[in-house]
Amino acid sequence: MTSCPRELHMRTLPVRNPVCFVFFLLILLAAGPARAQQGTVQAAVAPAPAPGNYHAAASDADALRVELLSIVTDPKLTRAHTGLYVKDLSTGQVLLDRNSELLFIPASTLKLFTTAAAISLLGPSYTYKTPLLLDGVVEGDTLHGNLVARGSGDPSISGVFHGDKPLTVFTAWAQQLRQRGIQRISGDLIGDASLFPGPPLGMGWNWDDESYWYAAQTGALAFNESTADVSVTADGKPGDPVGYEVGPVAGYLNVDNEAVVGAPKSGSSFVAERRHGENVLAMTGELPRGSRTGFACTVEGPADWFLFALRSVLEANGVYVVGQSRVVTDPRETAGWSNATQAAVYTSPPVSELVTFTNRKSHNFYAEQLLKTIGATRRNLGTARAGAEAVMSWASGLGVNRKGLEMVDGSGLSRMNLVSPRAMVALLEGMRGSGNFQAFYDSMPVAGCHGSLTNRMCNTPAEDVAHAKVGFVTHDICLAGYTRDKRGGWYAYALFVNNHTGPVRDAKAMQDAVVAALSAVE
């Protein structure tokens, strides 16, 4: 077990007569859901104990309910909207229920719906196949015709699964062309992006997020998660322009550099944003001398970026395209390629691995590509809307109340997504009884180990035990997942906090304390 130097602040209550106290709490809560929402059950609040003192380690369900109520009735969250639902999956008992049928912005916990559906509808062993086609006749060292990359929606053509070498797939394709003796393409380099016909950005995404990796554009042909890698250095003297490099290939994302080197150890005012609708990164401000920074910047036109990088790699390996690079989005233009010769094909890792990366890294781009793939395979339309409809229909069959789920994207970035805590727990409970449970469960971050849970619930009974997905957009902090107690019992929980303008740590402390209390039961 890992050790994390972090205190977990929990509210506990000495319970001398749990049954009487539960009765007292129920009377207070019966005064109206608004009072419960605002946390007015003051009798349930007690001073936080020393770290490691988990009073919830009791076998009596009533005592556990009292403990959970004491934790969530936190005056720091009084002005926030809280939706909380905890269910003992071993007994079927509901242990915590606050506003569980109301709708909340789920943020990235929505990825649990997307990834569970991907595993269930596509299958854990499903792989993407992206072929490179010869549309013409090869004579000598020349292909008399076009070279076609046919998009399948694969999110993995990047360095993630290739040792941080994002050009690996394109290099392999170039080598396979050379092995066929091909060094010249007389026609065009064509990208077939027709599988995903919808807009590249999600419904309701904020315009000021467009530069950042978590709002990357989707596409049937996508390279490097639709981002360019930018590194910036401040090695000159104060007032000099900062240095920069753009990769994995230069020339597609241009840089308008007005940023300069600042004084050593001075504060940074460096800002980098891509101009809306353009592949121009504007850099301004000062970066302290001797410092450096790196980031992924989104690009406009994922398929064009794919072809630009592919063409660069082909030429670097001695394969030259005479014609232009162009993207095809009309399926009618692709019909003639059914008889084209397959020169190479890239096969992705299985969906089980893609889903694990999606959940543990909370990677929006992967979630959106998976959603559109579900739409393409289940509704014959590779759009977010078609994918969302397929996921919601599937979730209904799993036991999720359709009125408790409204999806518009796959990642949870949009504030137009709405989920009730009860619907989220229904998903978790349904997957617990599914034949695909293990792949889904293994994909989730583990407390104290992965992603956004790396530094959460450390030195508590939940460390290395709780599997959960974090969700965060400004003012909305969510957590949903599973944990087990010391007896081997299973719990599912959805702990949603919306419209919280105070410190994020307040909501996290409440959520972590609930999960730790469940994990401590013996």
Side-chain angles (χ1 to χ4, degrees):
M1 178 178 294
T2 58
S3 176
C4 303
R6 179 182 182 276
E7 289 189 358
L8 179 66
H9 298 285
M10 298 178 58
R11 296 185 179 276
T12 63
L13 180 71
V15 182
R16 294 183 177 85
N17 191 331
V19 175
C20 292
F21 192 77
V22 169
F23 180 71
F24 173 64
L25 282 176
L26 291 175
I27 291 174
L28 289 175
L29 290 172
R35 293 189 66 192
Q37 167 66 28
Q38 297 301 322
T40 57
V41 189
Q42 297 301 323
V45 181
N53 180 12
Y54 299 96
H55 193 274
S59 59
D60 185 87
D62 289 334
L64 182 55
R65 289 188 181 97
V66 168
E67 182 65 20
L68 297 180
L69 281 172
S70 75
I71 292 169
V72 303
T73 309
D74 188 338
K76 295 178 181 177
L77 301 176
T78 296
R79 295 178 63 83
H81 299 300
T82 55
L84 313 168
Y85 195 65
V86 176
K87 189 171 185 178
D88 185 333
L89 299 183
S90 302
T91 66
Q93 295 184 85
V94 176
L95 301 173
L96 180 64
D97 186 343
R98 175 175 291 183
N99 301 322
S100 67
E101 295 193 40
L102 300 185
L103 296 172
F104 291 80
I105 296 171
S108 280
T109 63
L110 187 75
K111 290 185 177 74
L112 293 178
F113 279 94
T114 305
T115 55
I119 290 171
S120 301
L121 296 177
L122 301 177
S125 61
Y126 177 91
T127 56
Y128 291 88
K129 297 186 184 300
T130 305
L132 187 67
L133 306 176
L134 307 178
D135 179 32
V137 178
V138 177
E139 293 181 349
D141 64 357
T142 300
L143 167 63
H144 295 281
N146 303 314
L147 185 64
V148 180
R150 196 156 208 176
S152 63
D154 189 347
S156 73
I157 301 178
S158 69
V160 171
F161 294 96
H162 301 99
D164 279 336
K165 297 178 179 178
L167 300 176
T168 297
V169 173
F170 296 161
T171 300
W173 282 359
Q175 292 170 349
Q176 287 172 285
L177 290 175
R178 289 298 303 264
Q179 289 170 6
R180 286 175 169 267
I182 299 173
Q183 299 182 44
R184 183 174 178 272
I185 313 296
S186 68
D188 295 338
L189 178 61
I190 301 175
D192 174 7
S194 61
L195 187 65
F196 290 174
L201 296 175
M203 182 184 295
W205 286 11
N206 292 342
W207 66 267
D208 52 350
D209 283 337
E210 284 189 33
S211 294
Y212 306 115
W213 68 272
Y214 55 81
Q217 297 185 11
T218 57
L221 276 176
F223 164 65
N224 204 45
E225 289 113 41
S226 295
T227 64
D229 303 321
V230 183
S231 59
V232 183
T233 57
D235 295 332
K237 63 180 183 296
D240 286 349
V242 298
Y244 64 87
E245 292 184 357
V246 178
V249 293
Y252 188 79
L253 179 68
N254 299 307
V255 178
D256 180 4
N257 182 25
E258 296 183 1
V260 297
V261 177
K265 300 182 180 179
S266 62
S268 174
S269 60
F270 177 80
V271 175
E273 291 186 338
R274 183 172 61 82
R275 292 175 184 161
H276 175 70
E278 300 180 38
N279 281 308
V280 177
L281 178 66
M283 301 196 307
T284 59
E286 294 186 358
L287 193 65
R289 183 181 180 184
S291 61
R292 62 188 60 241
T293 186
F295 53 91
C297 177
T298 61
V299 296
E300 189 79 16
D304 290 306
W305 173 226
F306 183 104
L307 294 181
F308 184 90
L310 174 58
R311 187 169 188 143
S312 297
V313 173
L314 291 176
E315 291 181 356
N317 285 271
V319 180
Y320 300 95
V321 180
V322 175
Q324 62 180 333
S325 298
R326 57 187 176 93
V327 175
V328 170
T329 57
D330 188 340
R332 292 173 296 184
E333 296 184 49
T334 71
W337 299 331
S338 57
N339 296 322
T341 301
Q342 181 173 289
V345 61
Y346 169 66
T347 302
S348 75
V351 154
S352 58
E353 292 185 33
L354 302 181
V355 159
T356 297
F357 182 78
T358 303
N359 281 334
R360 292 190 176 181
K361 297 298 183 181
S362 200
H363 209 293
N364 292 354
F365 175 76
Y366 274 69
E368 299 302 337
Q369 295 285 106
L370 287 169
L371 184 70
K372 290 189 173 183
T373 302
I374 292 171
T377 57
R378 308 298 292 196
R379 299 294 175 96
N380 202 31
L381 184 61
T383 64
R385 182 71 259 166
E389 288 173 353
V391 172
M392 290 187 287
S393 176
W394 164 83
S396 294
L398 199 68
V400 175
N401 187 332
R402 180 63 185 80
K403 294 181 179 179
L405 173 63
E406 183 63 34
M407 289 181 70
V408 301
D409 68 18
S411 63
L413 184 59
S414 174
R415 294 177 180 271
M416 296 175 69
N417 296 299
L418 294 171
V419 179
S420 73
R422 192 179 290 254
M424 179 64 76
V425 169
L427 168 76
L428 295 167
E429 185 174 18
M431 287 302 293
R432 177 76 179 90
S434 163
N436 291 311
F437 172 69
Q438 198 62 49
F440 177 62
Y441 182 68
D442 290 344
S443 77
M444 298 168 69
V446 180
C449 295
H450 303 126
S452 51
L453 288 184
T454 300
N455 296 314
R456 291 184 65 173
M457 292 175 263
C458 300
N459 299 320
T460 78
E463 184 179 10
D464 291 332
V465 176
H467 287 55
K469 185 74 195 72
V470 169
F472 175 77
V473 293
T474 304
H475 304 316
D476 302 324
I477 308 102
C478 301
L479 184 72
Y482 303 97
T483 195
R484 292 164 301 161
D485 62 25
K486 295 183 180 300
R487 304 169 301 177
W490 284 81
Y491 303 89
Y493 48 88
L495 309 171
F496 294 169
V497 179
N498 280 190
N499 299 342
H500 177 57
T501 57
V504 173
R505 64 177 177 270
D506 295 339
K508 289 182 176 180
M510 178 273 288
Q511 294 164 344
D512 292 357
V514 168
V515 180
L518 296 171
S519 307
V521 172
E522 59 187 15

